[in-house]
Amino acid sequence: MQKPKVLKPFNTSEIKVLLLEDVSQAAVDAFQEQGYQVETYTKTLIGQELIDKLRDIQVLGVRSKTKVTKQILDEAKSLLAIGCFCIATEQVDLEAAAMKGIPVFNSPFSNSRSVAELVIGEIITLARQLGDRNQEMHNGIWSKVSHNCFEIRGKILGIVGYGHVGSQLSVLAEALGLTVYFYDVLQLMPLGSARQLDTLEELLAVSDFVTLHVPELEETKNMIGAREISIMKNGAFLINNGRGSTVQIQALVDGLRSGHLGGAALDVYPKQPQNNGPHFTDYPDLLKCPNVILTPHIAGSTEEAQAKIGIEVSSSLIQYINEGTSLGAVNFPEVGLRAIREDDANTARVLHIHQNIPGVLRELNLIFASFNVEKQYSNSKGKLAYVMADVANVSKQQLQSLYDAITATKANIRTRIVH
């Protein structure tokens, strides 16, 4: 079987990678195996410090804290791709990145198991008031009580958002004897004995535990407020390991103080510190509420999850840098062609990112007219379009003239050639 050809850029130097926020060593190893130069930081970089670092960087890797704004992207002239080593991508200005020809990749599913397991732990911890008992013991207080402490067997778990986390959680919860209901805007196939309900209100009204696993959208912002909490059962528990904008914190505090809610667990918040340290100061009233578990956005932060995320995102970035494949990009037309074979010595791959306007393909095909184009694929997304074409029997001298002709077209955003 023919091996795929290892492609290299025809007109650029070494690929430099900047990884922030303690990205997994698995990603570092993957990039170094490709011969890329890798610089790592355990913290985030902000403002001018990040701008200065990005001046000669081709690949940026971040987690959830680093804010990649249009201002920063405007200065990152060499940047080819961004990897979000997490689920979230809202920390990056996706439209600004796209219009500069920079695809953004993430890992939407690799930490699903870690999040689901944490929810199970929180359900048991809340039901037994373990957080409060633990704090009392650390303060030297012995308080052996059983009032308002429950087994979870036979209780009802309501899952809002039945995606990869919600569905895995459903299976784990049923194994512990919980009855599972879920609400989702899509009609989905339940796993096990789970049952889908028609409305969020119906789910809130019947659940002993409500756990949120929805993306950050306009429709999900402030999804749980005073009205929704009032619908929940007296003594019910609210868990949010999804997006911080989903729950109105003051409404939650009021529900806890009144005793209507039996407790809550939060891993995400509307405002979150950028760096570790004594910075969680925005919600003093929440800190005083009983039977509340507060964690610093660590639901997906396990060694296993971070390793899987490191492998998945680095693989996507390497495929894009080496071959132009954009499959899985969240802000970019998804394009992929089968690999160029090792014996296709004089075949080059043209990667042309351009404005999605009429006449571009006609202009491009006129340039290609004197070459043998073996395969070609084009796709568009919004204002952006992407063409990938494999051109056979092209010399190094012809590569430069081909590159110059394509970059001179009026709709060109970015063009690369690998061979």
Side-chain angles (χ1 to χ4, degrees):
M1 185 175 69
Q2 289 287 343
K3 292 182 179 179
K5 183 180 178 182
V6 178
L7 302 177
K8 299 293 182 184
F10 92 99
N11 62 345
T12 58
S13 57
E14 292 180 289
I15 298 295
K16 296 181 180 179
V17 180
L18 176 64
L19 300 178
L20 306 179
E21 303 181 63
D22 201 20
V23 167
S24 170
Q25 185 64 36
V28 177
D29 294 343
F31 290 131
Q32 289 177 338
E33 285 176 9
Q34 297 296 316
Y36 300 172
Q37 294 183 23
V38 182
E39 185 175 3
T40 63
Y41 286 81
T42 59
K43 64 175 185 176
T44 183
L45 300 180
I46 59 175
Q48 191 61 45
E49 187 178 15
L50 179 56
I51 289 172
D52 291 342
K53 276 290 178 185
L54 286 176
R55 294 201 188 281
D56 63 343
I57 293 293
Q58 284 75 45
V59 178
L60 172 64
V62 302
R63 291 176 69 186
S64 58
K65 294 178 182 177
T66 304
K67 305 301 180 186
V68 186
T69 63
K70 183 179 184 302
Q71 178 187 4
I72 289 170
L73 292 167
D74 286 341
E75 300 294 329
K77 307 297 185 185
S78 300
L79 192 62
L80 297 178
I82 297 172
C84 294
F85 287 79
C86 53
I87 296 176
T89 56
E90 59 262 24
Q91 67 273 39
V92 180
D93 189 327
L94 296 177
E95 184 175 358
M99 296 315 297
K100 293 184 178 299
I102 301 171
V104 178
F105 299 91
N106 71 335
S107 178
F109 313 127
S110 291
N111 67 359
S112 302
R113 176 72 183 201
S114 296
V115 178
E117 287 187 5
L118 180 63
V119 175
I120 292 295
E122 289 171 337
I123 289 171
I124 296 171
T125 299
L126 290 170
R128 299 296 296 274
Q129 300 182 14
L130 296 181
D132 287 0
R133 299 294 86 76
N134 177 66
Q135 186 62 49
E136 290 163 356
M137 290 293 284
H138 277 274
N139 292 331
I141 299 170
W142 184 276
S143 180
K144 183 178 180 180
V145 297
S146 60
H147 181 63
N148 284 333
C149 295
F150 306 99
E151 294 182 355
I152 65 170
R153 180 178 54 179
K155 302 300 187 293
I156 296 175
L157 173 63
I159 302 173
V160 183
Y162 202 68
H164 285 261
V165 174
S167 56
Q168 286 198 50
L169 173 60
S170 172
V171 174
L172 295 176
E174 283 197 345
L176 290 171
L178 285 153
T179 298
V180 177
Y181 295 113
F182 68 91
Y183 168 73
D184 199 290
V185 293
L186 302 175
Q187 287 295 317
L188 298 170
M189 177 72 73
L191 298 180
S193 300
R195 177 185 163 199
Q196 183 166 7
L197 300 183
D198 293 332
T199 66
L200 174 62
E201 289 76 11
E202 186 180 359
L203 180 133
L204 295 174
V206 300
S207 300
D208 298 299
F209 300 89
V210 174
T211 180
L212 309 174
H213 302 282
V214 296
E216 185 170 45
L217 305 170
E218 283 302 317
E219 296 83 358
T220 62
K221 287 183 179 178
N222 299 317
M223 182 185 223
I224 304 297
R227 172 183 167 273
E228 289 74 24
I229 289 172
S230 70
I231 297 172
M232 293 174 66
K233 279 184 176 180
N234 188 49
F237 304 92
L238 180 65
I239 299 171
N240 185 20
N241 291 313
R243 292 290 176 262
S245 60
T246 307
V247 176
Q248 298 176 36
I249 298 297
Q250 189 56 52
L252 174 60
V253 169
D254 292 342
L256 291 163
R257 282 177 170 174
S258 69
H260 179 66
L261 292 181
L266 299 180
D267 186 55
V268 288
Y269 312 87
K271 293 182 180 179
Q272 298 186 173
Q274 290 295 306
N275 292 299
N276 291 343
H279 311 306
F280 188 64
T281 57
D282 289 302
Y283 309 105
D285 291 341
L286 186 62
L287 304 182
K288 301 172 186 175
C289 292
N291 202 22
V292 173
I293 303 166
L294 302 176
T295 50
H297 203 159
I298 57 167
S301 297
T302 61
E303 294 287 350
E304 295 87 350
Q306 292 308 307
K308 285 188 287 186
I309 289 170
I311 292 168
E312 181 180 355
V313 178
S314 63
S315 296
S316 296
L317 290 166
I318 289 166
Q319 281 193 315
Y320 178 73
I321 295 299
N322 290 359
E323 302 173 16
T325 301
S326 60
L327 300 178
V330 298
N331 67 328
F332 213 75
E334 294 190 75
V335 173
L337 286 177
R338 68 179 184 272
I340 297 174
R341 295 179 306 180
E342 198 171 37
D343 60 351
D344 292 332
N346 295 320
T347 298
R349 176 163 289 177
V350 176
L351 310 169
H352 178 47
I353 305 163
H354 61 87
Q355 300 171 48
N356 187 19
I357 57 176
V360 173
L361 291 181
R362 178 180 179 277
E363 190 175 11
L364 188 63
N365 286 328
L366 286 173
I367 296 171
F368 284 150
S370 57
F371 296 94
N372 178 24
V373 178
E374 288 194 333
K375 47 189 181 292
Q376 180 176 335
Y377 184 35
S378 174
N379 197 4
S380 63
K381 185 172 184 176
K383 299 177 182 178
L384 192 71
Y386 185 27
V387 175
M388 184 185 294
D390 288 350
V391 182
N393 301 318
V394 56
S395 67
K396 289 186 178 180
Q397 293 76 18
Q398 289 174 314
L399 284 178
Q400 186 63 57
S401 62
L402 184 62
Y403 176 81
D404 292 341
I406 295 174
T407 54
T409 58
K410 63 181 180 180
N412 179 72
I413 294 175
R414 169 172 278 156
T415 295
R416 295 192 296 138
I417 299 179
V418 292
H419 70 116

